[in-house]
Amino acid sequence: MVKRSVLSRRVFTGLSRRHLACLVEELSEPWLAGVEGRRHAARGGSRRRAAGAGARHRPVFIDRLTATLIHLRHDLPHAALELLHDVDRSTITRAIGETRTLLAERGCAVPDRPGLRLRTLTDVFAHARAEDIELRPDATENQVRRPPAGRDGRRALVPGKKKPNTMKATIITHQQGRTSWTDALRPGRTHDATAARNEGIGTCFQHFSDVEVLLDDGYLGLRRDHPGQAVTPPRKGNKISPPEALEARLRARHRHSSKRITVEHALADHKRWKQLIRWTHRREMLPATYQAIAGLVSDRATAA
């Protein structure tokens, strides 16, 4: 087994030692509670031995967390992680599945609020109203494997802009570019505005009428339905428009894009994790993976 002090370095996990220690402290108890819950269900009752008796966990939780982070950061195969930790491959697969779920359930961090995390779209809008924050959503596509011929929903993964099969994620940041929320992902053919509506953004607009959201041209339908709240760039001028009008619209669009560049930077931070460049695993596991990575990126941005 490779030394734990080596595998816990930032070059492997993408996190600092301090951040890793905080994750271990935060997630070790929920993981242990899940283990005891599964054991209780398997036994059909309370434990018969005293706490601490019986077989020891191998690897321990910090090694399970490190293996999961290395898998997310570098997309290292389970077979390679098996050799690094000197355990069976099935143990690595089970450890990654359990830890990835815990990371996905954490939500996104909030600056200067250590105990507060945003997990739902309502949480994001409520926090934006309380702190007078301008929200900036955007959508990104993650390439996935093509389903077999004849499989239902095969065409839904083919988007309009890109030919490869993709799944679409919608994220929300605020003006500093810190990730505040990400959805559960949808097939790549889903329109950006439709994906946001399916997550309940229309209801949030109704209940938080003083929150302003900065959008791009993919959300023109939201601007029509919620004028004054959903702000999109001005439309491009046509050929018969006077030159000064065309120039004014171009300047306005440039100012709008300059404000929204922070959400593009946040998406770039997500794509630094190799698993989000091209997803080659089971598609049903991609939403939990994206949410886990978004939560880790929000931690780093908050601590910066």
Side-chain angles (χ1 to χ4, degrees), residues 6 10 42 64 80 91-92 135 149 157 166 195 214 224 257 279:
V6 175
R10 184 191 291 268
R64 294 168 182 261
T91 303
I92 291 294
L135 301 178
L157 297 175
T166 62
L214 212 61
R224 181 195 62 232
S257 299
W279 181 254

Side-chain angles (χ1 to χ4, degrees), residues 95-153:
I96 290 176
E98 294 172 357
T99 312
R100 177 173 49 201
T101 301
L102 292 176
L103 291 172
E105 294 172 350
R106 295 172 66 236
C108 295
V110 177
D112 303 325
R113 302 287 182 86
L116 180 62
R117 303 194 70 89
L118 307 177
R119 294 179 174 85
T120 65
L121 194 58
T122 305
D123 295 341
V124 176
F125 271 76
H127 175 68
R129 183 173 65 178
E131 301 292 336
D132 193 19
I133 294 174
E134 184 182 65
L135 301 178
R136 300 174 184 183
D138 202 1
T140 184
E141 295 175 357
N142 299 92
Q143 186 176 349
V144 298
R145 291 187 297 180
R146 187 179 185 184
R151 183 70 60 86
D152 292 339

Side-chain angles (χ1 to χ4, degrees), residues 9 33 37 41 65 77 96 106 157 159 169 171 173 203 220 242 248-249 256 270 284:
R9 291 182 179 273
L65 178 59
I96 290 176
R106 295 172 66 236
L157 297 175
I171 75 163
T173 68
T203 304
L220 294 177
R249 289 192 177 216
H256 188 91
H270 297 175
E284 55 266 25

Side-chain angles (χ1 to χ4, degrees), residues 22-222:
C22 292
L23 281 178
V24 172
E25 183 180 358
E26 177 185 352
L27 299 179
S28 58
E29 290 187 6
W31 173 77
L32 187 59
V35 171
E36 292 298 331
R38 289 189 293 272
R39 288 178 175 177
H40 186 277
R43 289 190 303 261
S46 303
R47 62 183 303 145
R48 300 176 183 178
R49 294 183 178 181
R56 301 293 189 270
H57 290 292
R58 185 171 179 268
V60 295
F61 178 71
I62 185 173
D63 294 331
R64 294 168 182 261
L65 178 59
T66 302
T68 304
L69 294 174
I70 295 175
H71 182 60
L72 295 176
R73 182 71 174 181
H74 302 286
D75 202 13
L76 206 63
H78 293 187
L81 293 170
E82 166 194 358
L83 296 176
L84 290 176
H85 292 84
D86 192 23
V87 294
D88 191 75
R89 180 176 177 176
S90 62
T91 303
I92 291 294
T93 301
R94 183 170 59 253
I96 290 176
E98 294 172 357
T99 312
R100 177 173 49 201
T101 301
L102 292 176
L103 291 172
E105 294 172 350
R106 295 172 66 236
C108 295
V110 177
D112 303 325
R113 302 287 182 86
L116 180 62
R117 303 194 70 89
L118 307 177
R119 294 179 174 85
T120 65
L121 194 58
T122 305
D123 295 341
V124 176
F125 271 76
H127 175 68
R129 183 173 65 178
E131 301 292 336
D132 193 19
I133 294 174
E134 184 182 65
L135 301 178
R136 300 174 184 183
D138 202 1
T140 184
E141 295 175 357
N142 299 92
Q143 186 176 349
V144 298
R145 291 187 297 180
R146 187 179 185 184
R151 183 70 60 86
D152 292 339
R154 190 180 187 210
R155 188 179 178 185
L157 297 175
V158 182
K161 293 189 297 184
K162 297 182 179 180
K163 295 304 179 183
N165 293 255
T166 62
M167 292 189 69
K168 179 171 293 185
T170 302
I171 75 163
I172 294 181
T173 68
H174 54 70
Q175 52 263 36
Q176 275 74 37
R178 298 188 179 96
T179 303
S180 298
W181 175 81
T182 181
D183 66 350
L185 276 76
R186 299 184 182 276
R189 202 174 187 88
T190 307
H191 195 275
D192 294 358
T194 302
R197 288 193 183 98
N198 291 339
E199 292 295 333
I201 196 171
T203 304
C204 292
F205 275 127
Q206 296 175 3
H207 288 85
F208 304 95
S209 57
D210 51 348
V211 175
E212 187 176 281
V213 180
L214 212 61
L215 304 163
D216 61 9
D217 286 331
Y219 298 91
L220 294 177
L222 292 180

